[in-house]
Amino acid sequence: MGIEQKLSWIPQPTEDGSFTFFSAEFGETFHSDQGARSEAFLKFAQATNLAQRSQQDSLRLLDVCYGLGYNTAAALETIWSVNPDCRVEVVGLELDATVPQAAIAPPLIDAWTPTTQAILHTIALEHHYTTPRLQARLLIGDARQTIQTLTQSSFLADAIFFDPFSPRRCPQLWTVEFFTQVVRCLSPTGRLATYSRSACVRSAMMAAGLVIGTIPLSDRSDAQPLLSHEWSDGTVGAFDASDLHPLSQMEQEHLQTRAAIPYRDPTLDDAAIAILARHDQEQQTSRLESTSSWRRRWGIH
């Protein structure tokens, strides 16, 4: 691990008292500054209804971009707080093994229970964890390749946590083609949750075969003015829309703008710069409404 990468993994506090890292490679933090731990519960464990699902005897989870392990940790604590006997299988996909390894040092790991800390510690160092109630595997490498190994094994998850860096920073993991591979790992009654509310992400999810719903804002008064990033806490996808929170009219119209043109990676091995160039060219030649026009109509600043 080089000096630049070591410096990347300096813990940064977030507003709920938990910590995250800043990635020099992608130019952003792994979590929002409002709270890394809170985000894991709200946008992933709660959004996939894990408390209700934990009444089952067993659950399967897929954590795309495992990172610090917070989404897996929040999921396990949610499930076992309701049903301590629920058997869980977790598969995590992660590019850089040094991230979970750095995350098991205090104070980052202190946000979790001792049981969860022990699990995160073993997964980070050994890339697997096996007990009667938990089987966990961490697959290291480009997720575009490791997901194909998983689809070939017929793995089906009850919940998928989709948590790459933002689309402009990491477009290769927000393409229609990658979502299509990931969706092949979703059970017929499962849910996929992501923090992103970008129109291009939502379009890609729908192109991959999902119906989508929004994660409603949890802490904003309706009287407050909308900012360009504030209309939702994320997106949930499923094969059945019956229990999803529907998109607002504003969000539906967002999907009719140029912002909704999805990223493409036909061979699942293009460099980010090629994916971005292809996307920018398609937007420039599109006859769809501009995103700036949509923002003006809805008074989004």
Side-chain angles (χ1 to χ4, degrees):
M1 180 164 64
I3 292 176
E4 182 181 357
Q5 194 169 36
K6 285 182 181 178
L7 292 175
S8 300
W9 309 149
I10 296 173
Q12 298 194 10
T14 64
E15 290 179 10
D16 68 355
S18 60
F19 291 81
T20 190
F21 291 138
F22 176 82
S23 170
E25 178 181 358
F26 292 98
E28 61 188 23
T29 58
F30 283 75
H31 304 90
S32 70
D33 56 9
Q34 282 80 18
R37 187 177 187 276
S38 301
E39 186 175 52
F41 279 101
L42 171 67
K43 299 181 182 180
F44 297 98
Q46 292 178 30
T48 52
N49 287 345
L50 287 185
Q52 296 92 319
R53 293 175 185 272
S54 62
Q55 302 294 343
Q56 301 171 206
D57 292 334
S58 62
L59 285 172
R60 279 180 156 187
L61 312 175
L62 173 57
D63 193 345
V64 179
C65 297
Y66 178 88
L68 287 75
Y70 286 8
N71 297 335
T72 288
L76 295 177
E77 295 200 352
T78 298
I79 293 166
W80 288 336
S81 68
V82 176
N83 180 6
D85 298 321
C86 184
R87 297 187 307 278
V88 182
E89 181 179 357
V90 179
V91 177
L93 309 183
E94 175 54 42
L95 177 64
D96 187 345
T98 69
V99 179
Q101 289 168 5
I104 59 177
L108 285 95
I109 203 167
D110 295 344
W112 308 104
T113 64
T115 297
T116 303
Q117 290 184 34
I119 291 168
L120 295 178
H121 192 275
T122 301
I123 291 174
L125 296 181
E126 301 180 17
H127 300 171
H128 65 85
Y129 184 94
T130 303
T131 64
R133 70 171 183 169
L134 176 62
Q135 292 188 344
R137 292 179 286 153
L138 186 59
L139 307 182
I140 302 297
D142 187 328
R144 294 176 294 179
Q145 274 65 63
T146 54
I147 190 64
Q148 295 179 62
T149 301
L150 201 56
T151 58
Q152 291 163 11
S153 72
S154 300
F155 177 89
L156 292 178
D158 299 287
I160 297 178
F161 312 138
F162 199 88
D163 199 14
F165 288 105
S166 63
R168 290 299 295 182
R169 302 284 186 173
C170 186
Q172 57 269 44
L173 297 189
W174 298 96
T175 65
V176 171
E177 292 76 15
F178 184 62
F179 267 117
T180 299
Q181 291 292 322
V182 172
V183 168
R184 288 178 61 188
C185 294
L186 185 65
S187 78
T189 59
R191 274 190 167 197
L192 180 152
T194 178
Y195 68 88
S196 178
R197 78 283 285 167
S198 297
C200 65
V201 169
R202 292 176 165 180
S203 293
M205 290 171 68
M206 291 189 292
L210 297 178
V211 223
I212 63 169
T214 194
I215 302 176
L217 288 173
S218 57
D219 58 359
R220 189 187 66 83
S221 163
D222 288 338
Q224 291 178 287
L226 283 172
L227 300 177
S228 61
H229 62 287
E230 274 192 328
W231 57 81
S232 164
D233 269 330
T235 308
V236 178
F239 296 116
D240 182 353
S242 58
D243 63 344
L244 298 180
H245 194 286
L247 302 186
S248 67
Q249 182 65 31
M250 183 191 73
E251 290 173 292
Q252 292 176 41
E253 291 186 16
H254 195 208
L255 293 175
Q256 305 304 315
T257 71
R258 290 175 205 163
I261 294 172
Y263 293 104
R264 295 282 185 174
D265 181 12
T267 58
L268 285 172
D269 62 3
D270 277 347
I273 191 170
I275 297 171
L276 290 172
R278 181 185 298 121
H279 183 254
D280 291 346
Q281 177 63 29
E282 191 171 354
Q283 283 190 318
Q284 289 168 15
T285 58
S286 172
R287 292 174 178 252
L288 293 172
E289 179 185 14
S290 70
T291 311
S292 58
S293 171
W294 167 81
R295 284 197 179 112
R296 284 194 299 272
R297 282 194 296 106
W298 285 96
I300 300 173
H301 304 290

